[in-house]
Each structure stands twice: as C-alpha cells, then as structure tokens.
Amino acid sequence: SLQDQFDNLEKHTQWGIDVLEKYIKFVKERTEIELSYAKQLRNLSKKYQPKKNSKEEEEYRYTSTRAFLATLNEMNDYAGQHEVISENMTSLITGELTRYVQELKQERKSHFHDGRKAQQHIETCWKQLEASKRRFERDCKEADRAQQYFEKMDADINVTKADVEKARQQAQLRHQMAEDSKAEYSSTLQKFNSEQHDHYYTHIPNIFQKIQEMEERRIVRIGESMKTFAEVDRQVIPIIGKCLDEITKAAESVDHKNDSQMVIEAFKSGFEPPGDIDFEDFTQPMKRTVSESSLSNSRGDGKSEPKFGSKSKGKLWPFIKKNKLMSLLTSPHQPPPPPPASASPSAVPNGPQSPKQQKEPLSHRFNEFMTSKPKIHCFRSLKRGGAGPEDFSNLPPEQRRKKLQQKVDELNRDIQKEMDQRDALTKMKDVYIKNPQMGDAASVDHRLAELGQNIEKLRLEVQKFEGWLAEVEGRLPARTEQPRRQSGVYETQNPSGVNSCAQDRESPDGSYTEEQSQETEMKVPATDFDDEFDDEEPLPTIGTCKALYTFEGQNEGTISVAEGEMLYVIEEDKGDGWTRIRRNEDEEGYVPTSYVEVYLDKNAK
C-alpha cells in the first residue's frame, strides 16, 4: 500500500542520514589523528633540536649535523602540512556536512509531513464518500418501503381516503429524500474521484519526487565529500614533496672532507713532532746527558741539565694535563699536618708538607718556566682558580692563535659600538649647540669623555692582543726578556714539565716518578714577575682567624704563623684541609685549617 511505501522511504532516508553522520564521524577521527601525528612530529623535532648556549649547539657546525638540523626543521614543516590537512578537512568536510545534515533532517521532516497530510486528506474524502453512499442507500430503502406502504393502503378498501392520501404523501417525501441523497452521493463521488486522482497522480508523486531529489543530493554530497577528502590530502603533497626534497638536498650537502678538515682545524695544536733521541752511553764514566734533539732540552742557553728521573719528560709533551699548572698555583697538594699533641711550637714537625732537601732543581725549573715564553699573565687569578692566562699561553699554538684572533675581533666590535655611541652623542651635541632650547650641550661632554677613554682602553687592548697574535704567527720576534725561549713546542711543554714536578712527582701516565728527597721548594724571583700582578686587586677578606698553634710554612703557597696571632681570612677551606689567610697586603698564603680558629663575617660576600 501507499502507506507501506511511505514507511519504506522513511526508513531508507533515515539510513541515508545515518550513513552521512557516520562519514562525518570518520573524517573527524581522521582529523584528530592528523593533529596528533603533527603534534608528535613537532615534539620529536623539538626534542632533538640543539639547546641554546650548550655544547650541542657547537656541534652543529659540521655538515652532517647541519643536515640533521635541516631535517628536523623540515620535519617541523612536514608536521605543519598535516595540521593543514586537519584544518581543511574540518572546515570543508566535517563542518559543511554537519550543517547539511541538519538541513537534510528538516527537509525530510517536511516532505514526510506533506505526505502524511495528503494521506489524511484522501482518507477524509473517502470517509465523506462512504457516509454519503450510506445515506443514499438508507434513503432509497426508506422510499421503497414508503411506496410499498402506499400501494398497500391504496389497495385496501377498508382504509379511509385520508389515510391513503397520507401514505401517498409520505411515499413522495421519501422518494424526494432518496433523490436528494442520490444527487449528494453523486457529487461526493465525483469530488472524491477528483481528489483521489490528484492524490495518486499529483500530490504523492510530487512528494516522492522531492524525497528522491533529497536523497540524490545526499548521495551526491557524500560523494563530493569523499572527493574533497582526497583533494585535501593531494593539495599538501607538493609542499610535503618540497620538505622531502630539502631533506634530500641537506643530505647531499654532507661533506666528509669538510667535516674532517673542521676537526683538524679545531684540534690542531701547532706542536712540532719530537726529534730522534740519541743513544746515551752509560759505559762512559761521565754524567748522563740528554741529546740536543730531545724535547726536554729546549733551553735557549743550550745547556743540558740533569733530570729528575730516569725517563725523559719531553716524551709526554702532547699529553700533559693543563690543569696541573692551575693546581700547582692554588693550595698545597699534600694533606695538611694534624695539629700537634701539645701547644708547644717546637712540638710541631715540618711533616711531609715542608721538605727541605735539594731545593735547587725545582727552583731552577720554576725560574725557567717564569722566564720562558709565554708568561703567566695573572698569577693571582690562577691561584683563585681562574680560566687561564690572558694571552691564552696555556693553549697549543694553533688554538692560541684562534683564541687571540677571536679576542681581537671581539674588541674591534666593542670599539665600533663605542664609536657609534660617540658619533651619535656628537650629533646630539651639535643639535644642542644649534638649538639650545632642546638641551644643554655641556651635559653630554662627560659621556663623550668616558667614551673616548673607553675607546682608548679598548685600542690598547687590541694592540696588546694583536702583538701576541703577531708573535704567535711569527710576524714579530720573541720578547727580549725571555732569552731561553726557542720554539712553540717548548713553550707549551715546559709549564707542563714544571707542574709534573709538583704533582707528587708523577707524570699523567705514571711513567715518571722521583724520590721524595728530590721534592723542592719553589723560589719565584720578584723581577718581571711581580710587575705582571701590580694591577691585580687583592681578594676581599671574609673574616678573621686566630692561630691555635705555630705553623712553619715551608711549602710554596703556605705562610708561617705564630701561636695566638690574629690574621685575615680570604678563602675558606674547600675540603682539602687548607685555609687561605692574609697578614698584610704583601703576605698571604695557606695554613692547615686545624691550626686556626676561623671567625667568618656574616655580611661578607
């Protein structure tokens, strides 16, 4: 029946809407996957990005690591394209289809409402026709009965004429009512037939046509959405392809030769390889000497000197640890002596920290170290644990040249900044002179003077570093106050050799040892050395201390104190058992922490 068809169509169109909503949900989940994937890619790229101002950032100067960095950046852009996919699918598919589904539901509801209304109207017309038909049938039967009753009365001779006339009139009335009912039935029938024709040939087909068109639009729309689904992906393929092309380009830019050369430049020391070691003939009754070609005999006066052990320290020139010089010039290496059992000064032995045997060799080596090139620029800064000498003489020649060049470039940049400020202030001063109402020209004179002084200081610094740089590059002769300097090999080797004497008489690889009787006290000459430190500011005092026992400072870096003496504390015990103190501006050094009672100033920094 027609009602069954309406039910079928209603179920089918509802199924179509369900399919559309299912597809919307599918696309929505796809966009969430794209966003999650993009987020994971971005996090991955960020995770492996070099941290600023870290060692990792320095590693990205090589072509291989720069290619990896480019890959990380391209992966970031790659992730951005997946975000574009998600955004476009959300706006072009999910959003549009969601709005369309709402409109489709309203349209479907309207069509089926019209269909139900048309069905109700035809059913009402049918009921009216049935009522008119039954009335016509009833009136015909009543007319027939009235006619039969009249004929019966008219044939009966016993009935009065008046009764017969009454029966005849009743029959005529019933007959007229039947005719009226017939006419009404005929009119209702014609009207119903017309309505029924319109219902089945006009109204219902129109409604079905609209439902069909609605369903076809839904099918077309879901097909277009699927096409858009593919197009959104296809649109980003060229950009993703460019990202992949850039990754390929970065990979092709990897240059193994260049990277190897950068490593060579970074670690090139400038050392000259050691010469051959001559045969030492022990069968001759003569003092053992070291050949002139040995690295350990690099003194300018050409004298051969006795060594501290049976093996040549010169062999270890590339491997001496630079931090041994730093530790030599800080606190003493030996553990501090325990406090004496009694308070008597004579009861305190010198102990292992104050050997007195054979002071000449180590003093000679240290004197030679101080007069050899390069000099230690700031002895106090090294004792404080500073970063190294100002002229970078603790570095190999090639590394030192690079550091000096960087310093010169940095100072030139600072000079340019100061000059730019000076030029700007000069222009401002000219404006003030021409227009006094804008400001006082004399107000900038002080700042201009400061800038001039700063520029002059920076230029002096540049000259100083350029002198060192020229000396390293061989453009200037060596300094006259260092007659024993011979080669760049010795100037790096020699301090290391001095350090090894004070480091428990042991080389870094344990190949050289010396008897304790050869440990000596270093005596540093004041000439040319103290001049280097006149400008150095003394360490601030952080408290006071009282000597509990007498301590005879015999080691380099220690200071002797008398029992009960009050002194200034300038450096706390750093866990090695030594405290640094000062007696006056010229006398300072280390004493065992257990020998003094320290009173720190709470306000001291």
Side-chain angles (χ1 to χ4, degrees):
S1 67
L2 187 62
Q3 183 63 39
D4 293 338
Q5 296 303 325
F6 264 101
D7 292 341
N8 291 335
L9 286 177
E10 193 168 11
K11 291 178 181 178
H12 179 75
T13 52
Q14 182 61 44
W15 172 82
I17 291 175
D18 293 341
V19 169
L20 200 56
E21 289 179 335
K22 184 187 294 184
Y23 184 73
I24 292 172
K25 185 178 180 182
F26 160 74
V27 176
K28 187 175 181 181
E29 290 183 4
R30 164 73 190 277
T31 59
E32 291 173 354
I33 291 173
E34 292 291 342
L35 280 179
S36 176
Y37 181 51
K39 183 179 180 181
Q40 291 178 18
L41 283 180
R42 287 191 184 278
N43 290 339
L44 181 66
S45 176
K46 183 178 179 181
K47 177 182 178 181
Y48 286 93
Q49 286 282 352
K51 297 178 177 61
K52 291 184 178 180
N53 302 323
S54 68
K55 186 179 179 181
E56 288 183 14
E57 197 172 30
E58 297 178 3
E59 296 173 355
Y60 280 83
R61 54 198 173 120
Y62 300 103
T63 57
S64 56
T65 47
R66 283 206 305 269
F68 178 55
L69 183 60
T71 301
L72 294 178
N73 294 333
E74 293 301 328
M75 288 303 295
N76 210 34
D77 296 340
Y78 187 91
Q81 296 310 306
H82 285 277
E83 291 174 346
V84 170
I85 291 175
S86 176
E87 292 171 1
N88 290 342
M89 284 187 176
T90 300
S91 60
L92 299 178
I93 300 178
T94 307
E96 292 292 331
L97 286 185
T98 301
R99 287 191 293 271
Y100 177 69
V101 165
Q102 298 301 323
E103 296 172 0
L104 187 64
K105 287 180 178 180
Q106 292 295 328
E107 184 180 1
R108 174 179 173 276
K109 182 179 179 181
S110 174
H111 292 329
F112 282 101
H113 176 73
D114 293 342
R116 283 192 292 270
K117 188 176 179 181
Q119 193 69 21
Q120 290 173 358
H121 177 69
I122 198 67
E123 289 176 357
T124 301
C125 291
W126 171 257
K127 289 178 181 179
Q128 291 176 354
L129 176 63
E130 287 294 319
S132 177
K133 179 181 177 181
R134 286 195 298 271
R135 189 163 51 251
F136 171 58
E137 183 182 6
R138 187 179 66 249
D139 289 345
C140 286
K141 289 180 180 179
E142 289 292 334
D144 188 47
R145 283 199 297 270
Q147 183 64 30
Q148 290 176 2
Y149 180 72
F150 166 67
E151 290 175 356
K152 182 180 177 181
M153 293 293 289
D154 187 45
D156 191 355
I157 56 174
N158 296 322
V159 178
T160 62
K161 189 176 180 178
D163 290 336
V164 172
E165 183 62 24
K166 185 177 178 181
R168 184 180 64 77
Q169 292 178 356
Q170 187 68 25
Q172 288 179 351
L173 179 62
R174 291 295 179 181
H175 181 71
Q176 185 63 39
M177 290 176 66
E179 288 296 329
D180 293 341
S181 297
K182 180 180 178 181
E184 183 183 357
Y185 171 64
S186 177
S187 174
T188 303
L189 181 61
Q190 289 178 1
K191 181 179 178 182
F192 174 77
N193 288 335
S194 176
E195 291 289 344
Q196 182 176 251
H197 184 275
D198 291 342
H199 177 75
Y200 284 104
Y201 289 94
T202 304
H203 298 315
I204 295 301
N206 286 341
I207 292 173
F208 282 178
Q209 183 66 29
K210 290 179 181 179
I211 293 174
Q212 180 180 346
E213 291 173 356
M214 177 191 72
E215 184 66 11
E216 289 175 353
R217 285 198 305 272
R218 179 194 66 80
I219 296 171
V220 170
R221 194 64 176 267
I222 196 171
E224 290 176 348
S225 297
M226 291 178 181
K227 185 178 179 181
T228 303
F229 183 85
E231 287 298 325
V232 167
D233 239 335
R234 187 176 289 111
Q235 286 174 359
V236 302
I237 288 178
I239 303 177
I240 290 178
K242 288 181 180 179
C243 294
L244 299 178
D245 291 342
E246 289 297 325
I247 293 175
T248 303
K249 183 178 177 182
E252 291 172 350
S253 69
V254 174
D255 186 351
H256 58 285
K257 295 290 186 183
N258 181 73
D259 286 4
S260 298
Q261 190 60 35
M262 290 179 69
V263 174
I264 293 171
E265 290 296 327
F267 299 108
K268 183 165 62 175
S269 66
F271 284 123
E272 295 177 5
D276 295 338
I277 299 176
D278 291 342
F279 176 75
E280 299 177 13
D281 192 355
F282 291 97
T283 61
Q284 299 296 329
M286 58 183 291
K287 191 175 182 180
R288 181 187 174 191
T289 59
V290 181
S291 64
E292 291 182 358
S293 60
S294 174
L295 282 176
S296 59
N297 189 22
S298 300
R299 296 170 178 77
D301 53 8
K303 293 181 180 179
S304 60
E305 294 192 15
K307 294 294 147 185
F308 296 129
S310 61
K311 296 185 180 180
S312 171
K313 282 296 287 183
K315 294 180 181 180
L316 305 176
W317 60 271
F319 312 110
I320 300 297
K321 293 186 178 180
K322 290 180 287 185
N323 62 356
K324 287 196 172 184
L325 175 61
M326 307 296 295
S327 60
L328 171 65
L329 301 179
T330 55
S331 62
H333 298 287
Q334 294 85 357
S342 65
S344 173
S346 60
V348 183
N350 288 336
Q353 80 278 11
S354 302
K356 297 182 179 180
Q357 299 83 359
Q358 297 187 4
K359 298 182 179 179
E360 174 55 26
L362 184 57
S363 300
H364 182 79
R365 291 295 295 272
F366 190 75
N367 293 343
E368 182 180 305
F369 161 69
M370 294 311 304
T371 55
S372 64
K373 177 69 183 71
K375 272 189 176 183
I376 300 298
H377 179 264
C378 179
F379 190 62
R380 279 181 181 158
S381 64
L382 287 182
K383 291 178 75 175
R384 292 175 188 173
E390 185 182 12
D391 60 355
F392 305 109
S393 57
N394 58 326
L395 298 177
E398 184 64 23
Q399 302 301 319
R400 183 187 178 206
R401 183 191 65 78
K402 291 182 180 179
K403 287 289 186 182
L404 289 172
Q405 187 62 55
Q406 291 174 5
K407 188 67 176 179
V408 169
D409 295 341
E410 180 183 343
L411 289 171
N412 284 330
R413 287 193 297 270
D414 293 341
I415 289 175
Q416 188 59 45
K417 290 180 182 178
E418 296 290 325
M419 291 177 68
D420 291 342
Q421 291 186 35
R422 186 180 64 180
D423 293 343
L425 284 175
T426 303
K427 292 178 181 179
M428 184 185 296
K429 182 178 179 181
D430 293 340
V431 172
Y432 287 168
I433 292 173
K434 294 177 182 179
N435 302 287
Q437 67 275 11
M438 296 183 66
D440 184 9
S443 61
V444 298
D445 289 341
H446 180 67
R447 179 58 180 159
L448 283 173
E450 286 183 356
L451 289 173
Q453 293 174 2
N454 291 344
I455 292 172
E456 188 61 30
K457 289 179 181 179
L458 288 172
R459 282 175 176 167
L460 290 175
E461 286 288 309
V462 169
Q463 290 177 6
K464 179 172 65 175
F465 280 95
E466 284 179 343
W468 286 329
L469 181 61
E471 206 168 302
V472 171
E473 293 176 345
R475 290 188 279 111
L476 291 177
R479 294 182 181 177
T480 57
E481 67 268 18
Q482 288 127 14
R484 299 189 183 186
R485 178 181 179 269
Q486 280 191 346
S487 67
V489 179
Y490 181 73
E491 60 188 72
T492 305
Q493 175 213 355
N494 197 28
S496 302
V498 175
N499 296 346
S500 62
C501 296
Q503 287 279 3
D504 296 334
R505 302 154 304 281
E506 183 177 349
S507 63
D509 59 356
S511 62
Y512 171 72
T513 57
E514 180 188 26
E515 294 300 325
Q516 187 177 3
S517 61
Q518 292 179 309
E519 185 177 322
T520 60
E521 175 184 356
M522 292 182 292
K523 296 181 180 178
V524 183
T527 59
D528 289 339
F529 187 70
D530 293 338
D531 295 340
E532 292 283 322
F533 319 126
D534 290 340
D535 298 332
E536 188 70 22
E537 289 295 328
L539 286 173
T541 60
I542 59 173
T544 58
C545 68
K546 179 181 179 181
L548 301 177
Y549 314 102
T550 297
F551 174 69
E552 297 179 5
Q554 298 289 340
N555 271 6
E556 175 62 28
T558 62
I559 184 173
S560 60
V561 296
E563 181 181 353
E565 186 178 0
M566 294 297 296
L567 305 108
Y568 296 103
V569 178
I570 57 176
E571 190 175 296
E572 289 186 80
D573 185 350
K574 298 185 180 300
D576 55 1
W578 295 91
T579 298
R580 190 173 177 183
I581 64 172
R582 176 185 298 146
R583 178 176 287 112
N584 51 47
E585 293 182 359
D586 299 325
E587 291 185 78
E588 62 181 51
Y590 289 89
V591 296
T593 304
S594 58
Y595 276 57
V596 294
E597 184 176 359
V598 178
Y599 310 98
L600 293 179
D601 185 357
K602 295 182 180 180
N603 299 323
K605 294 183 180 180

